[in-house]
Amino acid sequence: KIMNNIATKLLERNFLLFITIVLFIVMYVAGLIVFKDKNFGNTQVFFNLFTSNAGLIIVSVGMTLVLITGGIDISVGSVVAVTSMMLAAMMEKANMGVVPAIIIVLLFGIVFGAVQGWLISYLNIQPFIVTLAGMFFARGLTAVISLEMISITNKTFLAIAQNKIHLPFGGYVNKKGVMIYPYVYPTVILAILTVVITYWMLKYTKFGRSIYALGGKEQSALLMGLNVKRTKLYVYIINGFLATLGGIAFCLNTTGAFVELAKGFEMDAIAATVIGGTPLTGGVGNVFGT
């Protein structure tokens, strides 16, 4: 009886996630059947899901933090675009090195998040309004930098982007009878580390518990003695940082930038977060679900 009660509570909290996992398994099995002759069953195809969506995973982790507080951020897609454009322009037009360019875009993300967080937490402006303005600003800034597509030819950047990390499991025999082991790119490792670190922060730190308390009920969090405004500000700073970090991963995948890049990306991040069990009302959620 106790086990049944625990199972019922877990299912209630993670119903959307449970449905998503079931649908994924059903669709994956259907793919195995329908595309059996096109090597859909190769483990590499499965790991390509992570490679293609590494940037989205990182951005969605930041979105999870924001939604837990009861806020929202619709500027992340534009931030990904301007991050990619800044990287491309600095390396191709200004001949800047990879490390300085990455540091600059990460600092941009921190400042961008801090400005939005300050407007939301200290001036009490609605998150949707602030991040809508941020979306237009970042997208406009992308166009200001360049209206043309910029392809990245920096050898160091391309070496990082094309560096295959082979996995010691999941190997398969190809048509020539050679054992092939699946691989991922550094962006996947970066995405996994982001998920793990954020999960640890939410579960085991005072700041993480403050985020849940803030999303549960802001007035109650104030009565508990929590600094609500500062907590909310820090969440948007982290979100800005993760949006640019996701933009870097996205750029490593595309090795180029253009104005329309990552359009609608914010809806993918919000959808991933909500379907993963973090409601728009806040107070509940986890990054593994996302």
Side-chain angles (χ1 to χ4, degrees):
K1 187 176 180 181
I2 294 174
M3 293 302 294
N4 287 336
N5 290 336
I6 293 173
T8 302
K9 288 182 179 180
L10 286 173
L11 186 59
E12 287 175 354
R13 291 179 182 178
N14 301 287
F15 181 72
L16 280 176
L17 178 59
F18 175 76
I19 294 297
T20 303
I21 292 172
V22 171
L23 286 174
F24 176 81
I25 293 172
V26 170
M27 292 170 68
Y28 192 77
V29 170
L32 291 174
I33 296 171
V34 176
F35 302 109
K36 183 180 179 180
D37 58 333
K38 303 194 184 298
N39 297 322
F40 187 84
N42 287 354
T43 49
Q44 186 59 57
V45 174
F46 178 80
F47 285 107
N48 284 345
L49 291 171
F50 294 91
T51 298
S52 302
N53 295 288
L56 178 60
I57 291 171
I58 297 171
V59 172
S60 298
V61 168
M63 186 66 71
T64 302
L65 298 179
V66 170
L67 290 187
I68 289 174
T69 66
I72 197 168
D73 187 353
I74 59 172
S75 69
V76 291
S78 298
V79 172
V80 168
V82 75
T83 296
S84 298
M85 187 63 80
M86 287 173 68
L87 285 172
M90 284 187 287
M91 285 187 283
E92 296 303 311
K93 294 186 176 182
N95 294 318
M96 188 178 292
V98 174
V99 175
I102 289 176
I103 291 173
I104 288 172
V105 295
L106 289 176
L107 289 174
F108 169 79
I110 291 170
V111 173
F112 189 88
V115 171
Q116 291 198 140
W118 182 76
L119 291 171
I120 292 167
S121 57
Y122 286 90
L123 296 188
N124 294 319
I125 304 175
Q126 285 294 323
F128 183 86
I129 301 298
V130 172
T131 57
L132 178 66
M135 178 183 73
F136 288 129
F137 173 80
R139 187 66 65 176
L141 185 58
T142 308
V144 168
I145 296 171
S146 177
L147 290 172
E148 304 295 329
M149 179 178 179
I150 303 176
S151 296
I152 298 174
T153 59
N154 183 287
K155 291 182 179 179
T156 305
F157 190 84
L158 292 179
I160 297 171
Q162 296 167 3
N163 181 31
K164 294 179 180 178
I165 301 172
H166 289 272
L167 304 173
F169 55 86
Y172 61 94
V173 179
N174 65 9
K175 294 179 180 179
K176 296 180 179 180
V178 179
M179 177 63 73
I180 303 295
Y181 286 94
Y183 60 85
V184 294
Y185 291 101
T187 52
V188 177
I189 305 301
L190 183 63
I192 292 172
L193 285 174
T194 301
V195 171
V196 172
I197 292 170
T198 308
Y199 175 82
W200 175 84
M201 182 269 293
L202 283 172
K203 190 172 180 64
Y204 297 107
T205 67
K206 180 181 177 181
F207 177 65
R209 292 190 291 272
S210 298
I211 293 174
Y212 282 109
L214 172 61
K217 193 169 184 180
E218 193 168 316
Q219 192 62 36
S220 298
L222 279 169
L223 294 173
M224 290 167 60
L226 297 178
N227 192 325
V228 170
K229 292 183 178 180
R230 188 172 63 189
T231 301
K232 197 179 292 186
L233 173 63
Y234 287 168
V235 166
Y236 278 94
I237 291 174
I238 294 171
N239 180 58
F241 173 82
L242 291 177
T244 47
L245 187 64
I248 293 169
F250 195 87
C251 191
L252 282 165
N253 195 29
T254 59
T255 62
F258 56 98
V259 176
E260 298 296 311
L261 190 73
K263 208 161 190 180
F265 203 70
E266 60 280 346
M267 297 310 299
D268 292 338
I270 293 170
T273 306
V274 173
I275 292 171
T278 305
L280 294 172
T281 50
V284 181
N286 68 85
V287 291
F288 279 129
T290 300

